[in-house]
Amino acid sequence: MSGAADTITAVDVLVTSPGRNFVTLKITTAEGLVGWGDATLNGRELAVASYLRDHVAPLLIGRDPARIEDTWQYLYRGVYWRRGPVTMTAIGAVDLALWDIKGKTTGQPVYQLLGGAVRDRVLTYTHASGWEVPELLDAIDAVRERGFLAVRAQSGVPGHDLVYGVTRGGPGYEPAGRVAAPVEEVWDTESYLRHAPGVLAAARAHVGPELRLLHDVHHRLTPGQAARLGRAVEDVDLFWLEDVTPAENQEVLRHVRHHTTVPLAIGEVFNTVWECQSLITEQLIDYIRTCVTHAGGISHLRRIAALADIWQVKLGPHGPSDVSPVALAASLHVGLSTPNFAIQEYMGYEPLVHEVFRHAWSYEDGHLHPGEAPGLGVEVDEELAARFPYEAAYLPVARRRDGSMTDW
Ligand code: CS2
Ligand code: MG
């Protein structure tokens, strides 16, 4: 290492599709260090790839990679048209790559640079789904046998052909289908509200009192419906009920909060601390779900966590299959070193994804650990990645039975 500051000499964007699309940022320095960042935005991958390639990469050449916060501020305040998932995912990818380089420069895993471990390992939850209750209970048993101590339970809904979070047979659930246009699902909230409490009660009766059960409503209810559902499932003792309403209007959560004590989790679609502010400072939620990539990287997720800590709101970051192993690694470094971190979502990946993204993080007995490799601890096999070019894929959309659009 020379005494002079290192400089960024190359910024590349890899779009690969080993079973599903991932966008990965590669930052290379004059000292020969490589940092990786995840820039995957499910269904809008190429928007972020272009934002990075065409507007961010040229601005990074020659910058000092050690100046992580200054680069964050430069890309956030310097763009003028700020916030939103595309911008913040791009900034998040740069932030992850620079923290990766910082770790490699110092020979330290990133969690050590964030203040060191405050826990030995990170509690995780995974998904279980089944169209009918017996199938769901079997799926819950299957992940319990793999050691999971927390499980998200999703089922089909009578009168529906397609429902969020559930596959009818076949491999694990992947929402973004390889299609030229979004699949249109029909959604009937009343049918769901009649059905969900019984499904969750059956899951609790099956697993006993210990296992943490979670459920994702996926933005589908009005405040009154959310309050009704919360009350109906209070005896299920859920770890959290997620995204009960579309949370752009956060004041509506006051109504939900007033009528039910069920723990609420929101935030996976939010991208900055400012969007989470009311949810946290008004105690409208128990868990903030912002994702380390879509919310501006490690640097910004720590800001969100710090605000949440003041109000005793805990961190439960988003981590489904459309968050790459690079982002999962970054989330785990935050999780290991953040006092009010509660739980990490982990859907798992197809075997090929583990080959493309070779990672130091590991799963054991219901917990994850980022590993001790310098930086984030993930290296991308670029030759293998290049064999799987991008394929158009879109998340579904949902319409009510009368044909009007609703939230998917
Ligand atoms: C879901 C996600 O994991 C979750 O909590 O909300 O699967 C979400 O549907 C996808 O990330 C959308 O791409
Ligand atoms: Mg969710």
Side-chain angles (χ1 to χ4, degrees):
M1 269 298 287
S2 64
D6 199 355
T7 56
I8 293 172
T9 55
V11 178
D12 300 294
V13 178
L14 286 68
V15 183
T16 182
S17 195
R20 68 161 333 282
N21 294 314
F22 293 110
V23 180
T24 306
L25 179 71
K26 176 185 180 183
I27 295 181
T28 308
T29 76
E31 299 280 344
L33 294 170
V34 170
W36 298 103
D38 180 26
T40 306
L41 188 63
N42 205 0
R44 292 297 184 273
E45 293 87 356
L46 299 187
V48 185
S50 167
Y51 191 99
L52 285 166
R53 276 196 194 107
D54 300 326
H55 301 296
V56 172
L59 305 181
L60 295 179
I61 304 300
R63 286 187 66 89
D64 176 356
R67 300 184 66 180
I68 300 175
E69 186 59 36
D70 181 63
T71 301
W72 196 98
Q73 297 291 334
Y74 177 73
L75 293 178
Y76 180 77
R77 301 187 187 286
V79 74
Y80 191 74
W81 313 108
R82 51 202 192 195
R83 294 178 294 168
V86 173
T87 305
M88 297 312 294
T89 299
I91 294 176
V94 174
D95 192 76
L96 264 55
L98 295 183
W99 275 108
D100 194 18
I101 289 169
K102 178 84 74 177
K104 289 168 178 175
T105 304
T106 58
Q108 292 289 319
V110 168
Y111 79 83
Q112 293 289 15
L113 306 178
L114 302 178
V118 299
R119 54 181 55 82
D120 300 328
R121 49 188 189 162
V122 174
L123 177 67
T124 183
Y125 78 90
T126 196
H127 296 189
S129 65
W131 195 262
E132 303 294 347
V133 170
E135 188 186 341
L136 169 60
L137 302 184
D138 290 345
I140 292 173
D141 289 345
V143 293
R144 290 180 84 184
E145 283 161 19
R146 289 168 48 204
F148 283 95
L149 304 172
V151 184
R152 190 189 82 168
Q154 306 290 134
S155 79
V157 176
H160 288 67
D161 295 327
L162 296 167
V163 170
Y164 163 71
V166 192
T167 48
R168 279 181 156 177
Y173 177 70
E174 170 53 70
R178 290 173 185 265
V179 287
V183 169
E184 299 220 345
E185 298 183 357
V186 176
W187 174 252
D188 175 6
T189 298
E190 286 304 323
S191 176
Y192 164 76
L193 285 172
R194 286 191 294 271
H195 189 64
V199 171
L200 296 173
R204 176 55 72 199
H206 180 73
V207 302
E210 299 296 318
L211 186 79
R212 298 169 182 86
L213 281 177
L214 303 85
H215 181 67
D216 193 346
V217 184
H218 221 258
H219 322 281
R220 307 277 171 111
L221 304 181
T222 65
Q225 290 169 336
R228 176 176 148 199
L229 177 62
R231 276 198 166 168
V233 298
E234 282 183 0
D235 291 345
V236 176
D237 187 25
L238 288 176
F239 184 83
W240 77 38
L241 195 59
E242 177 180 345
D243 282 339
V244 288
T245 65
E248 285 90 341
N249 178 349
Q250 296 174 22
E251 289 176 24
V252 303
L253 270 296
R254 292 176 187 152
H255 178 80
V256 182
R257 249 348 199 193
H258 180 73
H259 288 284
T260 178
T261 59
V262 71
L264 298 177
I266 286 183
E268 70 180 46
V269 295
F270 290 169
N271 312 108
T272 69
V273 65
W274 295 284
E275 291 168 72
C276 311
Q277 199 168 336
S278 307
L279 287 169
I280 292 170
T281 59
E282 291 198 33
Q283 303 274 284
L284 298 178
I285 54 174
D286 302 273
Y287 299 93
I288 186 70
R289 295 265 291 136
T290 38
C291 176
V292 72
T293 42
H294 306 142
I298 290 169
S299 303
H300 201 61
L301 184 61
R302 296 181 80 209
R303 277 190 168 81
I304 293 169
L307 175 66
D309 200 9
I310 294 168
W311 298 92
Q312 293 181 295
V313 171
K314 295 187 183 300
L315 211 51
H318 192 222
S321 53
D322 48 281
V323 166
S324 96
V326 176
L328 184 68
S331 203
L332 294 177
H333 283 284
V334 173
L336 204 66
S337 59
T338 301
N340 60 315
F341 191 100
I343 196 165
Q344 172 64 49
E345 178 177 15
Y346 174 53
M347 261 180 83
Y349 300 98
E350 295 299 319
L352 183 56
V353 175
H354 294 282
E355 290 180 46
V356 172
F357 298 92
R358 296 191 309 276
H359 52 79
W361 56 259
S362 59
Y363 166 81
E364 185 177 18
D365 296 340
H367 294 77
L368 290 161
H369 191 283
E372 300 300 336
L376 297 178
V378 184
E379 294 304 326
V380 180
D381 183 331
E382 295 182 69
E383 185 189 332
L384 183 58
R387 293 187 213 161
F388 308 99
Y390 168 81
E391 293 189 51
Y394 288 91
L395 287 169
V397 300
R399 290 185 182 274
R400 300 181 184 91
R401 293 201 186 284
D402 69 359
S404 59
M405 281 295 290
T406 185
D407 297 280
W408 176 74

